[in-house]
Amino acid sequence: MRKRKGLITGLIIFLLVIIGAAIGGKYFIDKKVAENERIVATSAAITDIFAKLDIKLVGVPQTQAKLPARYQNVEKIGSPMKPSVEKIASLNPTQVYAVSTLKDQYNESFKKQSVDVTYLKLDSVAQLKATLTSLGKKYYRQKQAETQISMIDQAISRAKKRISGRAPKVLILMGLPGANYMILTNKSYLGNLVELAGGKNVYQSKQQIYLSPSNDSLATKNPDVILRLEHALPNVTLPQFKAEFRKNSVWKHMKAVKDKRVYDLQQPDFNASANMNVPRALNKLSYWLYPKK
């Protein structure tokens, strides 16, 4: 009887060892596969995320934004707004990542080249944190992801401590080369930053991220603060903003203009998509909204 129990115990131990070895072997194989992925990032924001997670890339965007040093010699695949699908396909990627706001713009051209794209939602800080968690797990970089999330959470905590009194009303504009500008609602990434910093966006929406400007609508707003994002080409969009504010009489009646609380948001700290500069951006925004705190 005792001998039989010994045999059963030995068999159980043997099976546990085999199972453990199988699990360990699978983990090692899966990790190796992840490390050998051929990944292309189509935006500066996504490129920065992979840099913080210490993940190699085979393709990065051609952009005025300064890319991480480790990717300086990586193949360029064209501008974030219009990447070269042919160039991307030539890199034989196993994964291509783009921001979800460009899905409609990208889809048709990528389908023609049979290139699959994974779209990342980066319209809020919460979505950025979720993306970090997901990619950290997929590419065995959980520790790096947790470090970045902790830094973001600390920045949010610092910003919330500065909030006091009435929430300042904020108008957010995004400059577009040749098309002047668009209005960013509370559903945009910058709208989310304003909310975290204790501000109230004067343009609220349930779904829309962008709105076309209208003098009649703007005339009904009287923001305490105006934020102007120099999107895409700052050397073009900033002069556009200055000309617009000089020529259009609707602006001179706004409290933000009278009080000289118009701030130009510049890369790399500020962008249309959530990115790894959230702590710096949130800190600056907090002091603009609550300068006397």
Side-chain angles (χ1 to χ4, degrees):
M1 189 72 170
R2 190 177 297 172
K3 186 176 180 181
R4 185 180 177 187
K5 284 184 178 179
L7 287 171
I8 293 173
T9 301
L11 181 60
I12 291 172
I13 293 173
F14 175 75
L15 289 173
L16 289 174
V17 170
I18 293 296
I19 292 170
I23 293 173
K26 184 179 185 305
Y27 174 88
F28 179 79
I29 293 170
D30 289 348
K31 187 177 180 184
K32 273 295 180 185
V33 170
E35 289 174 350
N36 289 314
E37 289 269 20
R38 294 182 60 78
I39 304 168
V40 172
T42 61
S43 77
I46 294 175
T47 302
D48 286 340
I49 290 172
F50 279 98
K52 294 297 185 183
L53 296 179
D54 190 26
I55 297 172
K56 67 181 180 181
L57 300 174
V58 298
V60 295
Q62 183 75 46
T63 172
Q64 286 193 343
K66 187 176 181 181
L67 297 178
R70 66 179 293 165
Y71 303 134
Q72 290 301 314
N73 296 320
V74 173
E75 290 284 350
K76 305 301 186 292
I77 51 90
S79 73
M81 298 302 291
K82 196 173 181 180
S84 169
V85 184
E86 292 79 10
K87 179 66 176 179
I88 293 173
S90 73
L91 296 173
N92 298 314
T94 54
Q95 291 286 342
V96 178
Y97 290 97
V99 291
S100 60
T101 49
L102 294 175
K103 184 174 182 178
D104 291 340
Q105 185 173 323
Y106 279 7
N107 250 1
E108 188 175 343
S109 57
F110 275 96
K111 281 182 179 178
K112 286 180 180 178
Q113 292 289 333
S114 299
V115 175
D116 291 329
V117 183
T118 298
Y119 292 98
L120 303 177
K121 291 186 177 181
L122 298 173
D123 296 326
S124 69
V125 174
Q127 288 180 352
L128 171 63
K129 289 164 61 177
T131 294
L132 283 166
T133 298
S134 175
L135 292 177
K137 183 178 181 180
K138 181 180 175 101
Y139 295 108
Y140 297 84
R141 296 291 193 275
Q142 288 98 328
K143 185 176 180 180
Q144 290 90 333
E146 288 168 4
T147 297
Q148 297 304 316
I149 291 171
S150 176
M151 291 171 65
I152 292 171
D153 287 340
Q154 289 172 30
I156 293 173
S157 179
R158 288 192 297 269
K160 288 188 178 299
K161 287 178 181 178
R162 291 184 52 78
I163 298 173
S164 64
R166 179 182 69 85
K169 295 183 294 181
V170 183
L171 170 64
I172 313 172
L173 310 175
M174 182 176 75
L176 298 171
N180 214 350
Y181 67 95
M182 296 288 285
I183 291 169
L184 294 179
T185 73
N186 58 303
K187 287 297 181 182
S188 67
Y189 161 59
L190 289 177
N192 180 233
L193 272 190
V194 164
E195 184 179 342
L196 291 174
K200 181 173 178 58
N201 196 320
V202 294
Y203 280 95
Q204 298 284 311
S205 176
K206 291 184 178 180
Q207 291 184 325
Q208 288 181 278
I209 294 175
Y210 310 103
L211 296 174
S212 297
S214 158
N215 276 358
D216 290 339
S217 175
L218 287 167
T220 67
K221 313 296 180 184
N222 190 29
D224 300 297
V225 176
I226 296 176
L227 305 175
R228 307 188 303 197
L229 176 64
E230 301 174 9
H231 187 56
L233 297 173
N235 59 329
V236 175
T237 52
L238 182 56
Q240 281 182 181
F241 271 136
K242 289 182 176 179
E244 163 68 17
F245 273 60
R246 186 173 62 252
K247 296 175 182 178
N248 191 342
S249 61
V250 73
W251 303 108
K252 67 181 181 181
H253 301 293
M254 293 185 181
K255 189 176 186 298
V257 175
K258 293 177 181 177
D259 294 344
K260 297 183 178 179
R261 297 183 71 186
V262 179
Y263 302 100
D264 291 310
L265 311 186
Q266 300 172 328
Q267 294 180 334
D269 291 346
F270 295 96
N271 211 321
S273 299
N275 57 74
M276 300 313 300
N277 295 308
V278 164
R280 286 204 302 270
L282 197 51
N283 182 61
K284 287 183 177 180
L285 193 54
S286 176
Y287 279 86
W288 289 337
L289 298 189
Y290 295 94
K292 296 180 181 178
K293 173 65 177 176

